Amino acid sequence: MANWQQFESGESSAPLPKFVIHFGMSRLLTAITAVSVLHAVGPVLAADVSPSPAMPAKGVPYVAPLYDWTGFYLGAHGGGGWTSSTVTDPTGAVFAPPSTGVDVSGQGWLGGAQIGYNYQLGAWVFGVEGDLSYTDIRGTTTSPFGVDVNTRLNWVGTVTGRLGIAWDRTLVYAKAGAAFGEISVSPRVPPVIDFKGKDTRTGWTVGAGVEYALWGDWSVKAEYNYLDLGTRTVTATSPAGGSVLTDAKVTEHMIKLGANYKFGWR
């Protein structure tokens, strides 16, 4: 008891009791251990509570641009045609009475080339086109006088304006303009007298078609044309001598399938 009182008053210089020393050392070791643990796990805890990285923004879906029909083009075509001709003998001396028409229907094939230019404004496509076709469209009939009347369309061409509406790579269009061509009329009087005549003439045409753009600058098309080459007098002559005047009216229907290549420059 006396020792404790002396310790409290600070008068005693005796050493501290062992339990006091032991208690203090235990507290010191505990504090050092806690600091060490916090130092070791601190970065890990910091990483765990750090904000999550932002999710990458989704990209805008790619939308392919609409096809542009503007530009010059060059192409080729092939198909078939049907002609309707009415041939008369003004004199009534060779194959039919005067003013009596002889109807001749012909059919055959055609092939040729075209060149043109399109300009697209919104969905509308304005254009101009020229084409030329070699044709082998023939017809024959027997007249009231027993004479064979033969007709042939040798070639035909058109120069037209076009107006169309486009749905991306699909173009639907109408066309109209001038037509020109060469026809042959050949009455054959039995047994061997042949009269042959040719005439180059102009007229008009209307038509419509659809065109589809493929890869690159290539496109394919299908087209219908109606041509009216009018009525003109054709002089047919015979190697044996003599001639005959015939009035021939010619109309034609054509179906054409073709392909075009559009140039890169406009």
Side-chain angles (χ1 to χ4, degrees), residues 43-71:
V44 177
L45 293 176
D48 289 340
V49 299
S50 61
S52 299
M55 295 294 292
K58 292 183 177 180
V60 178
Y62 173 75
V63 178
L66 296 178
Y67 185 80
D68 187 0
W69 288 91
T70 300

Side-chain angles (χ1 to χ4, degrees), residues 28-122:
L28 179 60
L29 291 173
T30 301
I32 293 173
T33 302
V35 172
S36 300
V37 171
L38 289 175
H39 180 75
V41 302
V44 177
L45 293 176
D48 289 340
V49 299
S50 61
S52 299
M55 295 294 292
K58 292 183 177 180
V60 178
Y62 173 75
V63 178
L66 296 178
Y67 185 80
D68 187 0
W69 288 91
T70 300
F72 290 92
Y73 62 89
L74 178 68
H77 64 265
W82 300 262
T83 58
S84 178
S85 305
T86 300
V87 183
T88 59
D89 182 355
T91 64
V94 179
F95 59 86
S99 302
T100 299
V102 177
D103 295 326
V104 184
S105 296
Q107 61 184 12
W109 58 271
L110 60 92
Q114 66 272 353
I115 188 171
Y117 178 79
N118 288 322
Y119 179 75
Q120 184 168 358
L121 185 62

Side-chain angles (χ1 to χ4, degrees), residues 5 57 85 96 104 117 124 175 239 243 264:
Q5 290 176 348
S85 305
V104 184
Y117 178 79
W124 294 99
K175 60 188 297 186
S243 63

